[in-house]
Amino acid sequence: MNNKHTYKFLMLLGFCLCFALGSSQNNKQKELETRRQELRREIQKINELRLENKSKEKSQLSLIEDFNYKINVLNNLIKVTNQQANLITREINSNQKQITKLRAELKQLKEDYAAMLVKSYKSKNQQSRIMFLLSSNDFKQAYKRLQYIKQYGDHQKQQGETIKGKTAELQNINANLLKQKEDKQKLITENKVTQKSLETERKQHEVLMKSIKNNINLYTSQINKRQREANRIDAEIDKIIKAAIAKSNKKAGKSSSSKTFALTPAGKALAKDFESNKGKLSWPVEKGIVKVRYGTQPHPINRSLTIKSNGVRIATEKNAKVRSIFNGEVIDVVRMKNVNPIVIIRHGNYITYYKNLSKVYVKEGDKVVTKQEIGEVYTNKINGETILSFSISKESNTQNPASWIYKMY
Protein backbone atom coordinates (compact mmCIF):
# COMPACT_ATOMS: atom_id res chain seq x y z
CA MET A 1 0.00 0.00 0.00
CA ASN A 2 1.58 3.33 -1.09
CA ASN A 3 1.58 6.52 1.00
CA LYS A 4 -1.37 8.00 -0.87
CA HIS A 5 -3.56 4.96 -0.24
CA THR A 6 -2.39 4.71 3.38
CA TYR A 7 -3.40 8.34 3.97
CA LYS A 8 -6.84 7.76 2.43
CA PHE A 9 -7.32 4.63 4.54
CA LEU A 10 -6.39 6.44 7.76
CA MET A 11 -8.72 9.32 6.89
CA LEU A 12 -11.60 6.90 6.26
CA LEU A 13 -10.84 4.99 9.47
CA GLY A 14 -10.79 8.24 11.44
CA PHE A 15 -14.12 9.30 9.95
CA CYS A 16 -15.70 5.92 10.79
CA LEU A 17 -14.43 6.07 14.38
CA CYS A 18 -15.73 9.63 14.85
CA PHE A 19 -19.10 8.66 13.37
CA ALA A 20 -19.34 5.56 15.60
CA LEU A 21 -18.41 7.57 18.70
CA GLY A 22 -20.92 10.31 17.85
CA SER A 23 -23.65 7.76 17.19
CA SER A 24 -22.87 5.93 20.44
CA GLN A 25 -23.03 9.16 22.46
CA ASN A 26 -26.28 10.12 20.77
CA ASN A 27 -27.84 6.73 21.60
CA LYS A 28 -26.64 6.98 25.20
CA GLN A 29 -28.14 10.46 25.50
CA LYS A 30 -31.49 9.15 24.19
CA GLU A 31 -31.43 6.25 26.68
CA LEU A 32 -30.71 8.62 29.57
CA GLU A 33 -33.44 11.03 28.50
CA THR A 34 -35.96 8.15 28.25
CA ARG A 35 -34.99 6.95 31.74
CA ARG A 36 -35.16 10.51 33.14
CA GLN A 37 -38.69 10.99 31.79
CA GLU A 38 -39.72 7.61 33.26
CA LEU A 39 -38.42 8.65 36.70
CA ARG A 40 -40.24 11.98 36.45
CA ARG A 41 -43.49 10.15 35.63
CA GLU A 42 -42.86 7.82 38.56
CA ILE A 43 -42.48 10.80 40.93
CA GLN A 44 -45.70 12.22 39.51
CA LYS A 45 -47.47 8.91 40.26
CA ILE A 46 -46.09 8.94 43.83
CA ASN A 47 -47.38 12.49 44.37
CA GLU A 48 -50.77 11.62 42.88
CA LEU A 49 -51.13 8.58 45.15
CA ARG A 50 -50.07 10.64 48.16
CA LEU A 51 -52.63 13.30 47.29
CA GLU A 52 -55.33 10.65 46.87
CA ASN A 53 -54.60 9.25 50.36
CA LYS A 54 -53.90 12.60 52.07
CA SER A 55 -57.10 12.54 54.13
CA LYS A 56 -56.38 9.03 55.42
CA GLU A 57 -54.38 8.20 58.55
CA LYS A 58 -51.48 6.08 57.36
CA SER A 59 -49.44 3.85 59.63
CA GLN A 60 -45.86 4.83 60.42
CA LEU A 61 -44.66 1.74 58.58
CA SER A 62 -46.48 2.78 55.41
CA LEU A 63 -45.21 6.35 55.67
CA ILE A 64 -41.61 5.15 56.00
CA GLU A 65 -42.08 2.94 52.92
CA ASP A 66 -43.43 5.97 51.03
CA PHE A 67 -40.49 8.17 52.05
CA ASN A 68 -37.92 5.49 51.27
CA TYR A 69 -39.41 4.85 47.88
CA LYS A 70 -39.61 8.51 46.86
CA ILE A 71 -36.10 9.24 48.19
CA ASN A 72 -34.78 6.32 46.12
CA VAL A 73 -36.53 7.58 42.95
CA LEU A 74 -35.29 11.14 43.54
CA ASN A 75 -31.73 9.86 44.00
CA ASN A 76 -31.99 7.93 40.74
CA LEU A 77 -33.36 11.00 38.95
CA ILE A 78 -30.43 13.12 40.19
CA LYS A 79 -27.97 10.41 39.14
CA VAL A 80 -29.43 10.09 35.63
CA THR A 81 -29.62 13.88 35.19
CA ASN A 82 -25.97 14.20 36.25
CA GLN A 83 -25.01 11.52 33.73
CA GLN A 84 -26.83 13.48 31.01
CA ALA A 85 -25.10 16.73 32.00
CA ASN A 86 -21.69 15.01 32.04
CA LEU A 87 -22.33 13.50 28.60
CA ILE A 88 -23.32 16.91 27.24
CA THR A 89 -20.13 18.37 28.75
CA ARG A 90 -18.08 15.78 26.85
CA GLU A 91 -20.01 16.58 23.66
CA ILE A 92 -19.41 20.32 24.18
CA ASN A 93 -15.67 19.73 24.65
CA SER A 94 -15.60 17.56 21.53
CA ASN A 95 -17.45 20.21 19.51
CA GLN A 96 -15.14 22.95 20.75
CA LYS A 97 -12.11 20.93 19.60
CA GLN A 98 -13.81 20.35 16.25
CA ILE A 99 -14.54 24.08 15.93
CA THR A 100 -10.86 24.91 16.62
CA LYS A 101 -9.77 22.35 14.01
CA LEU A 102 -12.29 23.61 11.43
CA ARG A 103 -11.27 27.22 11.96
CA ALA A 104 -7.64 26.31 11.31
CA GLU A 105 -8.61 24.33 8.17
CA LEU A 106 -10.81 27.20 6.98
CA LYS A 107 -8.03 29.73 7.51
CA GLN A 108 -5.60 27.58 5.50
CA LEU A 109 -8.15 27.07 2.73
CA LYS A 110 -8.79 30.80 2.48
CA GLU A 111 -5.06 31.54 2.36
CA ASP A 112 -4.54 28.95 -0.38
CA TYR A 113 -7.51 30.29 -2.31
CA ALA A 114 -6.25 33.87 -2.03
CA ALA A 115 -2.80 32.79 -3.25
CA MET A 116 -4.43 30.97 -6.14
CA LEU A 117 -6.41 34.06 -7.14
CA VAL A 118 -3.27 36.24 -7.03
CA LYS A 119 -1.40 33.73 -9.13
CA SER A 120 -4.27 33.59 -11.61
CA TYR A 121 -4.41 37.40 -11.83
CA LYS A 122 -0.67 37.66 -12.41
CA SER A 123 -0.88 34.98 -15.03
CA LYS A 124 -3.57 36.94 -16.85
CA ASN A 125 -1.44 40.12 -16.80
CA GLN A 126 1.68 38.43 -18.08
CA GLN A 127 0.11 36.41 -20.80
CA SER A 128 -3.40 36.01 -22.01
CA ARG A 129 -4.91 32.57 -22.25
CA ILE A 130 -5.14 32.85 -26.03
CA MET A 131 -1.47 33.72 -26.35
CA PHE A 132 -0.65 30.92 -23.93
CA LEU A 133 -2.43 28.49 -26.26
CA LEU A 134 -1.12 30.01 -29.54
CA SER A 135 2.48 29.79 -28.35
CA SER A 136 2.20 26.01 -28.23
CA ASN A 137 4.64 24.04 -30.42
CA ASP A 138 1.96 21.69 -31.70
CA PHE A 139 -1.69 20.74 -31.35
CA LYS A 140 -0.96 18.14 -28.64
CA GLN A 141 0.76 20.74 -26.43
CA ALA A 142 -2.07 23.24 -27.06
CA TYR A 143 -4.63 20.60 -26.01
CA LYS A 144 -2.69 19.88 -22.79
CA ARG A 145 -2.50 23.62 -22.02
CA LEU A 146 -6.23 23.93 -22.59
CA GLN A 147 -6.82 21.03 -20.16
CA TYR A 148 -4.53 22.68 -17.63
CA ILE A 149 -6.46 25.98 -17.84
CA LYS A 150 -9.75 24.10 -17.37
CA GLN A 151 -8.42 22.02 -14.43
CA TYR A 152 -7.03 25.14 -12.78
CA GLY A 153 -10.40 26.85 -13.12
CA ASP A 154 -12.20 23.76 -11.77
CA HIS A 155 -9.78 23.62 -8.85
CA GLN A 156 -10.50 27.27 -8.01
CA LYS A 157 -14.23 26.56 -8.11
CA GLN A 158 -13.80 23.43 -5.96
CA GLN A 159 -11.75 25.40 -3.39
CA GLY A 160 -14.52 27.99 -3.25
CA GLU A 161 -17.15 25.27 -2.68
CA THR A 162 -14.99 23.63 -0.01
CA ILE A 163 -14.66 26.93 1.85
CA LYS A 164 -18.42 27.43 1.59
CA GLY A 165 -19.07 23.90 2.93
CA LYS A 166 -16.57 24.23 5.80
CA THR A 167 -18.11 27.60 6.76
CA ALA A 168 -21.61 26.07 6.84
CA GLU A 169 -20.31 23.12 8.89
CA LEU A 170 -18.68 25.51 11.37
CA GLN A 171 -21.90 27.52 11.70
CA ASN A 172 -23.89 24.31 12.27
CA ILE A 173 -21.53 23.07 14.99
CA ASN A 174 -21.63 26.49 16.67
CA ALA A 175 -25.45 26.35 16.67
CA ASN A 176 -25.36 22.82 18.15
CA LEU A 177 -22.89 23.99 20.76
CA LEU A 178 -25.24 26.77 21.89
CA LYS A 179 -28.15 24.28 22.04
CA GLN A 180 -26.05 21.85 24.09
CA LYS A 181 -25.10 24.59 26.54
CA GLU A 182 -28.79 25.51 26.91
CA ASP A 183 -29.74 21.84 27.46
CA LYS A 184 -27.02 21.45 30.07
CA GLN A 185 -28.18 24.57 31.92
CA LYS A 186 -31.77 23.26 31.93
CA LEU A 187 -30.59 19.95 33.42
CA ILE A 188 -28.54 21.74 36.09
CA THR A 189 -31.54 23.94 37.00
CA GLU A 190 -33.84 20.92 37.10
CA ASN A 191 -31.39 19.03 39.30
CA LYS A 192 -31.34 21.89 41.82
CA VAL A 193 -35.14 21.64 42.11
CA THR A 194 -34.87 17.85 42.56
CA GLN A 195 -32.15 18.31 45.21
CA LYS A 196 -34.44 20.63 47.19
CA SER A 197 -37.27 18.11 46.96
CA LEU A 198 -34.90 15.37 48.13
CA GLU A 199 -33.76 17.47 51.11
CA THR A 200 -37.40 18.06 52.11
CA GLU A 201 -38.20 14.34 51.92
CA ARG A 202 -35.11 13.45 53.95
CA LYS A 203 -35.93 15.95 56.70
CA GLN A 204 -39.47 14.60 57.00
CA HIS A 205 -38.06 11.07 56.97
CA GLU A 206 -35.63 11.95 59.80
CA VAL A 207 -38.42 13.47 61.92
CA LEU A 208 -40.57 10.38 61.43
CA MET A 209 -37.68 8.02 62.21
CA LYS A 210 -36.96 9.87 65.49
CA SER A 211 -40.56 9.39 66.64
CA ILE A 212 -40.44 5.73 65.62
CA LYS A 213 -37.19 5.04 67.50
CA ASN A 214 -38.92 6.01 70.74
CA ASN A 215 -41.28 3.05 70.20
CA ILE A 216 -38.96 0.73 68.28
CA ASN A 217 -40.11 -2.38 70.16
CA LEU A 218 -43.73 -1.76 69.18
CA TYR A 219 -42.82 -1.34 65.51
CA THR A 220 -40.52 -4.36 65.58
CA SER A 221 -43.45 -6.41 66.84
CA GLN A 222 -45.65 -5.09 64.00
CA ILE A 223 -42.94 -5.89 61.44
CA ASN A 224 -42.54 -9.43 62.71
CA LYS A 225 -46.31 -9.92 62.73
CA ARG A 226 -46.57 -8.76 59.13
CA GLN A 227 -43.73 -11.08 58.08
CA ARG A 228 -45.36 -14.06 59.84
CA GLU A 229 -48.61 -13.34 58.00
CA ALA A 230 -46.75 -13.15 54.68
CA ASN A 231 -44.99 -16.45 55.45
CA ARG A 232 -48.35 -18.09 56.29
CA ILE A 233 -49.83 -16.99 52.95
CA ASP A 234 -46.72 -18.11 51.03
CA ALA A 235 -46.78 -21.52 52.74
CA GLU A 236 -50.44 -22.01 51.77
CA ILE A 237 -49.71 -21.01 48.17
CA ASP A 238 -46.74 -23.39 48.09
CA LYS A 239 -49.06 -26.27 49.09
CA ILE A 240 -51.47 -25.36 46.29
CA ILE A 241 -48.68 -25.31 43.69
CA LYS A 242 -47.24 -28.64 44.85
CA ALA A 243 -50.73 -30.15 44.69
CA ALA A 244 -51.16 -28.80 41.13
CA ILE A 245 -47.78 -30.29 40.12
CA ALA A 246 -48.75 -33.68 41.61
CA LYS A 247 -52.11 -33.55 39.82
CA SER A 248 -50.46 -32.83 36.44
CA ASN A 249 -48.02 -35.74 36.91
CA LYS A 250 -50.78 -38.14 37.99
CA LYS A 251 -52.80 -37.21 34.91
CA ALA A 252 -49.75 -37.83 32.71
CA GLY A 253 -49.08 -41.18 34.41
CA LYS A 254 -45.82 -39.99 35.98
CA SER A 255 -44.50 -40.03 39.52
CA SER A 256 -46.53 -37.81 41.85
CA SER A 257 -43.34 -37.02 43.78
CA SER A 258 -41.93 -35.01 40.86
CA LYS A 259 -41.33 -31.34 41.62
CA THR A 260 -42.01 -30.18 38.07
CA PHE A 261 -45.17 -29.98 35.99
CA ALA A 262 -45.82 -32.73 33.44
CA LEU A 263 -46.46 -30.49 30.47
CA THR A 264 -48.62 -31.29 27.46
CA PRO A 265 -47.40 -30.10 24.03
CA ALA A 266 -49.70 -27.06 24.42
CA GLY A 267 -48.30 -26.44 27.92
CA LYS A 268 -44.71 -26.60 26.64
CA ALA A 269 -45.53 -24.15 23.86
CA LEU A 270 -47.17 -21.76 26.36
CA ALA A 271 -44.16 -21.96 28.72
CA LYS A 272 -41.78 -21.31 25.82
CA ASP A 273 -43.88 -18.33 24.73
CA PHE A 274 -43.90 -16.99 28.29
CA GLU A 275 -40.09 -17.30 28.50
CA SER A 276 -39.59 -15.59 25.14
CA ASN A 277 -41.45 -12.56 26.50
CA LYS A 278 -39.16 -12.15 29.50
CA GLY A 279 -38.69 -8.46 30.20
CA LYS A 280 -41.64 -7.58 27.96
CA LEU A 281 -44.61 -8.89 29.96
CA SER A 282 -47.38 -6.40 30.76
CA TRP A 283 -47.97 -4.96 34.24
CA PRO A 284 -50.69 -6.57 36.40
CA VAL A 285 -52.25 -3.08 36.87
CA GLU A 286 -52.47 -0.25 34.35
CA LYS A 287 -50.88 2.34 36.69
CA GLY A 288 -48.62 1.61 39.62
CA ILE A 289 -45.30 1.99 41.42
CA VAL A 290 -43.28 -0.73 43.14
CA LYS A 291 -43.05 0.09 46.85
CA VAL A 292 -41.47 -3.15 48.05
CA ARG A 293 -39.13 -5.12 45.80
CA TYR A 294 -38.38 -8.81 45.48
CA GLY A 295 -35.91 -10.64 47.74
CA THR A 296 -34.53 -10.59 51.26
CA GLN A 297 -33.80 -7.05 52.39
CA PRO A 298 -33.26 -5.04 55.60
CA HIS A 299 -36.38 -3.39 56.95
CA PRO A 300 -36.38 0.41 56.49
CA ILE A 301 -37.31 1.03 60.14
CA ASN A 302 -35.21 -1.54 61.96
CA ARG A 303 -32.15 -2.40 59.84
CA SER A 304 -31.34 -5.35 62.10
CA LEU A 305 -34.50 -7.07 60.86
CA THR A 306 -34.79 -8.62 57.41
CA ILE A 307 -37.96 -8.98 55.41
CA LYS A 308 -38.41 -11.68 52.80
CA SER A 309 -40.48 -10.69 49.80
CA ASN A 310 -41.38 -13.45 47.32
CA GLY A 311 -42.75 -10.82 44.94
CA VAL A 312 -43.38 -7.10 44.70
CA ARG A 313 -45.89 -4.78 46.32
CA ILE A 314 -47.38 -2.35 43.82
CA ALA A 315 -49.15 0.81 44.98
CA THR A 316 -51.93 1.74 42.57
CA GLU A 317 -55.07 3.88 42.37
CA LYS A 318 -58.42 3.19 44.03
CA ASN A 319 -60.66 0.71 42.17
CA ALA A 320 -57.67 -0.41 40.06
CA LYS A 321 -58.38 -3.44 37.89
CA VAL A 322 -56.03 -6.42 38.08
CA ARG A 323 -54.97 -7.92 34.75
CA SER A 324 -53.42 -11.23 33.83
CA ILE A 325 -49.90 -10.55 32.58
CA PHE A 326 -50.08 -13.39 30.02
CA ASN A 327 -52.26 -16.12 28.53
CA GLY A 328 -52.94 -18.93 30.98
CA GLU A 329 -55.38 -20.87 33.12
CA VAL A 330 -56.70 -20.05 36.60
CA ILE A 331 -55.66 -22.95 38.83
CA ASP A 332 -57.12 -21.53 42.06
CA VAL A 333 -58.82 -18.61 43.74
CA VAL A 334 -57.49 -18.72 47.31
CA ARG A 335 -59.69 -17.54 50.15
CA MET A 336 -58.05 -17.71 53.57
CA LYS A 337 -59.21 -16.46 56.95
CA ASN A 338 -58.44 -12.74 57.44
CA VAL A 339 -56.79 -12.62 54.02
CA ASN A 340 -58.15 -10.93 50.90
CA PRO A 341 -58.64 -13.22 47.84
CA ILE A 342 -55.67 -14.41 45.78
CA VAL A 343 -55.85 -15.47 42.13
CA ILE A 344 -53.29 -18.01 40.88
CA ILE A 345 -52.74 -18.41 37.13
CA ARG A 346 -50.63 -21.05 35.41
CA HIS A 347 -48.68 -20.38 32.18
CA GLY A 348 -47.22 -23.79 31.31
CA ASN A 349 -44.75 -24.38 34.15
CA TYR A 350 -44.78 -20.69 35.21
CA ILE A 351 -47.17 -19.34 37.83
CA THR A 352 -48.34 -15.79 38.57
CA TYR A 353 -50.02 -14.72 41.82
CA TYR A 354 -52.28 -11.72 42.34
CA LYS A 355 -52.82 -11.02 46.06
CA ASN A 356 -54.97 -8.59 48.07
CA LEU A 357 -58.02 -8.42 45.82
CA SER A 358 -61.42 -7.02 46.78
CA LYS A 359 -63.27 -8.51 43.80
CA VAL A 360 -62.54 -11.56 41.65
CA TYR A 361 -63.92 -11.92 38.10
CA VAL A 362 -62.61 -15.43 37.36
CA LYS A 363 -62.87 -18.92 38.79
CA GLU A 364 -60.76 -22.09 38.85
CA GLY A 365 -60.38 -23.61 35.38
CA ASP A 366 -61.01 -20.37 33.47
CA LYS A 367 -58.79 -19.63 30.48
CA VAL A 368 -57.46 -16.08 30.48
CA VAL A 369 -55.61 -13.93 27.95
CA THR A 370 -53.00 -11.18 28.29
CA LYS A 371 -54.37 -8.04 29.99
CA GLN A 372 -57.72 -9.68 30.75
CA GLU A 373 -59.24 -8.19 33.90
CA ILE A 374 -59.36 -10.85 36.61
CA GLY A 375 -60.37 -8.73 39.61
CA GLU A 376 -59.98 -5.50 41.52
CA VAL A 377 -57.34 -4.43 44.05
CA TYR A 378 -58.47 -4.00 47.67
CA THR A 379 -58.31 -0.46 49.09
CA ASN A 380 -57.62 -0.19 52.81
CA LYS A 381 -60.45 1.85 54.33
CA ILE A 382 -58.27 3.12 57.19
CA ASN A 383 -55.19 4.40 55.35
CA GLY A 384 -56.58 4.63 51.80
CA GLU A 385 -53.78 2.49 50.36
CA THR A 386 -54.46 0.31 47.31
CA ILE A 387 -51.68 -2.30 47.21
CA LEU A 388 -51.39 -5.32 44.91
CA SER A 389 -48.93 -8.03 45.95
CA PHE A 390 -47.70 -9.75 42.81
CA SER A 391 -45.41 -12.77 42.38
CA ILE A 392 -44.02 -15.04 39.65
CA SER A 393 -42.57 -18.52 40.05
CA LYS A 394 -41.29 -21.35 37.91
CA GLU A 395 -42.83 -24.40 39.49
CA SER A 396 -42.26 -23.59 43.21
CA ASN A 397 -39.18 -21.45 42.61
CA THR A 398 -39.92 -17.75 42.97
CA GLN A 399 -38.66 -15.30 40.33
CA ASN A 400 -37.89 -11.59 40.46
CA PRO A 401 -40.87 -9.90 38.72
CA ALA A 402 -38.59 -6.98 37.71
CA SER A 403 -36.78 -9.39 35.38
CA TRP A 404 -40.02 -10.31 33.62
CA ILE A 405 -42.27 -7.23 33.60
CA TYR A 406 -41.67 -4.46 31.08
CA LYS A 407 -39.67 -1.61 32.65
CA MET A 408 -40.28 -2.72 36.25
CA TYR A 409 -36.94 -1.29 37.49
Side-chain angles (χ1 to χ4, degrees):
M1 187 181 287
N2 59 37
N3 290 337
K4 187 178 179 182
H5 289 157
T6 302
Y7 176 75
K8 286 183 177 179
F9 173 75
L10 291 174
M11 286 290 289
L12 180 62
L13 180 63
F15 173 78
C16 291
L17 288 172
C18 289
F19 178 79
L21 180 62
S23 178
S24 174
Q25 286 185 335
N26 191 39
N27 289 338
K28 181 65 176 174
Q29 190 65 268
K30 284 179 180 178
E31 286 175 16
L32 289 171
E33 178 59 19
T34 299
R35 180 62 179 137
R36 187 172 72 90
Q37 293 302 332
E38 285 169 354
L39 288 166
R40 290 184 69 185
R41 284 193 291 272
E42 204 161 349
I43 289 169
Q44 187 179 350
K45 285 183 204 170
I46 295 168
N47 293 334
E48 286 172 358
L49 289 171
R50 276 187 176 180
L51 190 64
E52 188 178 308
N53 301 332
K54 198 172 182 181
S55 61
K56 301 290 183 177
E57 190 63 36
K58 291 184 122 183
S59 70
Q60 304 286 63
L61 293 176
S62 292
L63 286 171
I64 284 294
E65 284 178 0
D66 287 350
F67 279 121
N68 281 349
Y69 183 75
K70 188 169 183 181
I71 286 169
N72 182 55
V73 175
L74 286 169
N75 273 322
N76 285 336
L77 179 58
I78 289 168
K79 182 181 176 182
V80 168
T81 307
N82 280 334
Q83 286 175 335
Q84 277 188 282
N86 291 337
L87 187 59
I88 288 176
T89 300
R90 288 197 292 273
E91 289 173 354
I92 287 171
N93 292 337
S94 175
N95 278 345
Q96 284 174 334
K97 287 178 182 177
Q98 198 172 350
I99 285 169
T100 302
K101 183 183 175 185
L102 272 173
R103 280 176 179 161
E105 288 177 2
L106 197 54
K107 183 183 176 184
Q108 188 62 50
L109 279 169
K110 286 179 177 179
E111 287 175 358
D112 292 347
Y113 188 63
M116 192 186 301
L117 289 175
V118 170
K119 185 179 178 181
S120 178
Y121 178 76
K122 286 180 178 179
S123 176
K124 283 180 181 177
N125 285 345
Q126 291 169 7
Q127 186 178 35
S128 69
R129 291 184 180 182
I130 295 173
M131 289 303 295
F132 181 59
L133 292 171
L134 291 175
S135 63
S136 304
N137 294 326
D138 53 36
F139 178 78
K140 187 176 181 182
Q141 188 182 54
Y143 178 75
K144 284 184 177 180
R145 287 185 177 186
L146 181 63
Q147 289 295 105
Y148 169 76
I149 291 170
K150 186 178 181 299
Q151 287 173 1
Y152 195 75
D154 289 345
H155 183 59
Q156 279 184 314
K157 187 178 178 181
Q158 187 181 354
Q159 282 287 87
E161 290 297 322
T162 303
I163 289 170
K164 186 179 176 182
K166 289 282 183 184
T167 303
E169 187 180 352
L170 186 60
Q171 289 171 344
N172 186 46
I173 293 173
N174 273 320
N176 285 337
L177 189 62
L178 289 172
K179 176 72 168 55
Q180 286 168 339
K181 286 179 178 178
E182 286 174 9
D183 289 344
K184 183 181 176 181
Q185 191 54 50
K186 283 179 184 176
L187 290 171
I188 291 169
T189 303
E190 199 173 292
N191 237 7
K192 285 179 181 177
V193 174
T194 307
Q195 287 280 5
K196 284 183 181 179
S197 179
L198 179 60
E199 286 169 17
T200 302
E201 295 291 329
R202 279 179 173 162
K203 283 177 183 176
Q204 292 177 2
H205 180 268
E206 285 171 11
V207 171
L208 187 58
M209 283 300 292
K210 281 179 183 177
S211 68
I212 285 172
K213 283 178 181 177
N214 294 329
N215 296 292
I216 193 67
N217 291 333
L218 173 65
Y219 290 111
T220 299
S221 175
Q222 289 179 10
I223 293 164
N224 287 330
K225 183 181 178 182
R226 186 186 282 187
Q227 185 65 59
R228 284 195 299 271
E229 183 67 7
N231 292 341
R232 181 174 79 90
I233 294 169
D234 289 339
E236 184 63 28
I237 288 173
D238 190 54
K239 286 181 185 177
I240 292 167
I241 299 308
K242 285 177 178 175
I245 290 171
K247 184 179 177 181
S248 75
N249 280 288
K250 184 178 180 181
K251 189 176 180 180
K254 296 182 178 180
S255 172
S256 59
S257 62
S258 175
K259 295 181 180 180
T260 59
F261 281 102
L263 297 176
T264 62
K268 287 179 181 178
L270 183 59
K272 188 177 179 181
D273 201 12
F274 188 90
E275 285 181 341
S276 68
N277 281 278
K278 187 173 184 178
K280 298 179 286 186
L281 295 170
S282 60
W283 279 63
V285 286
E286 189 175 353
K287 297 178 182 177
I289 55 173
V290 178
K291 284 186 66 177
V292 177
R293 301 194 173 277
Y294 172 85
T296 302
Q297 52 208 280
H299 198 278
I301 288 179
N302 187 342
R303 307 293 290 182
S304 65
L305 295 176
T306 56
I307 53 174
K308 184 184 178 184
S309 174
N310 284 338
V312 292
R313 291 178 64 209
I314 302 170
T316 186
E317 56 194 356
K318 190 177 179 181
N319 302 320
K321 300 293 188 291
V322 184
R323 311 178 304 180
S324 174
I325 67 163
F326 203 69
N327 302 336
E329 180 183 342
V330 179
I331 59 173
D332 208 339
V333 177
V334 184
R335 301 180 190 274
M336 298 170 62
K337 187 178 179 181
N338 300 323
V339 176
N340 289 320
I342 302 164
V343 173
I344 304 175
I345 299 176
R346 180 181 166 191
H347 319 271
N349 58 341
Y350 287 92
I351 315 290
T352 52
Y353 315 84
Y354 311 78
K355 309 173 189 175
N356 196 38
L357 307 189
S358 60
K359 297 177 182 177
V360 177
Y361 305 153
V362 291
K363 62 184 184 300
E364 184 181 344
D366 282 355
K367 303 285 186 181
V368 294
V369 295
T370 303
K371 292 187 178 181
Q372 179 179 328
E373 293 179 357
I374 58 173
E376 194 174 300
V377 188
Y378 173 77
T379 299
N380 190 304
K381 293 176 182 177
I382 298 172
N383 59 32
E385 285 189 315
T386 307
I387 304 287
L388 173 71
S389 291
F390 172 75
S391 305
I392 299 177
S393 73
K394 183 178 183 180
E395 260 77 53
S396 296
N397 302 313
T398 61
Q399 308 274 309
N400 184 354
S403 301
W404 292 85
I405 305 298
Y406 180 68
K407 290 189 177 181
M408 183 181 275
Y409 297 105

